[in-house]
Amino acid sequence: MNAHLLATIDLATTNVSNGGGPFGAMIVRNGEVIATGVNQVTPTLDPTAHAEIVAIRNACQALGDFKLTGCTLISSCEPCPLCLSAALWARVDRVVYAADRHDAAAAGFDDREFYELFGRPREEWSLPVEQISTGEDNAPFTAWLSSATRIDY
C-alpha cells in the first residue's frame, strides 16, 4: 500500500509542474493499478476535475462499468466531500490517503468549511438551496420506475 501512496504523491507533485493542482489518485484492484488521475481543475476549467474524480472516471472507462466494487481509491490527500461522495457512488471498497484535510488547508485548499456546512441546517447555509414544487416533480422518477430498460445503481 505504501508504494501506491508514494505513487499518488509523485503524481501530485509532478502535476504541479504541469500546471495542475497538488493532488493525485489511483484506483487499485487486487494490487493492480486500474487507473490514475491528477487534479485538473484549473487547466480544464472544471471545478469537479479533482484527482479522485478523474481516477474514478478513468477506472470506470477502463473496466467498462460504473461500479468499482472490489477496488480501492488511493489518494495523495484526504478526499473532500465531493470526492468521498463519488467514491460512495462508485461503490469502491476502501479509501486510503496520505496527507489530511488540515495539511491541504495549510496549503490553501481549505475544504473544512464544506464538512462543517453539511452538519448545519440548510437554513443556515450561505448558498440558498430550496425546493419549489411544480406539480410534476416526480415525473422523471415515474418514468424511471416504469422503464423496462433501466439499469439500477
Side-chain angles (χ1 to χ4, degrees):
M1 191 60 59
N2 268 357
H4 288 123
L5 276 170
L6 289 170
T8 63
I9 292 168
D10 186 52
L11 283 169
T13 304
T14 301
N15 195 48
V16 171
S17 300
N18 294 331
F23 302 95
M26 63 176 56
I27 300 292
V28 175
R29 184 171 63 186
N30 299 325
E32 176 190 350
V33 176
I34 304 299
T36 63
V38 293
N39 182 283
Q40 292 293 299
V41 170
T42 56
T44 63
L45 305 177
D46 179 354
T48 69
H50 293 199
E52 297 89 343
I53 302 294
V54 174
I56 288 169
R57 289 173 180 162
N58 291 341
C60 289
Q61 292 300 306
L63 295 175
D65 198 346
F66 58 88
K67 292 182 184 177
L68 298 177
T69 306
C71 295
T72 299
L73 168 61
I74 302 174
S75 181
S76 63
C77 186
E78 181 177 2
C80 72
L82 168 72
C83 296
L84 286 174
S85 296
L88 289 166
W89 277 110
R91 309 297 198 268
V92 299
D93 287 4
R94 183 178 179 200
V95 176
V96 178
Y97 59 89
D100 67 17
R101 67 181 85 170
H102 306 291
D103 299 317
F109 297 90
D110 194 354
D111 57 7
R112 292 178 295 191
E113 67 182 87
F114 300 132
Y115 287 98
E116 294 167 4
L117 174 74
F118 294 128
R120 294 193 310 261
R122 282 192 182 171
E123 297 79 34
E124 296 177 16
W125 291 14
S126 59
L127 172 68
V129 177
E130 60 184 301
Q131 180 182 20
I132 299 174
S133 183
T134 65
E136 296 294 324
D137 303 349
N138 287 316
F141 298 120
T142 301
W144 170 258
L145 290 171
S146 65
S147 173
T149 60
R150 78 172 187 251
I151 299 171
D152 292 329
Y153 58 97

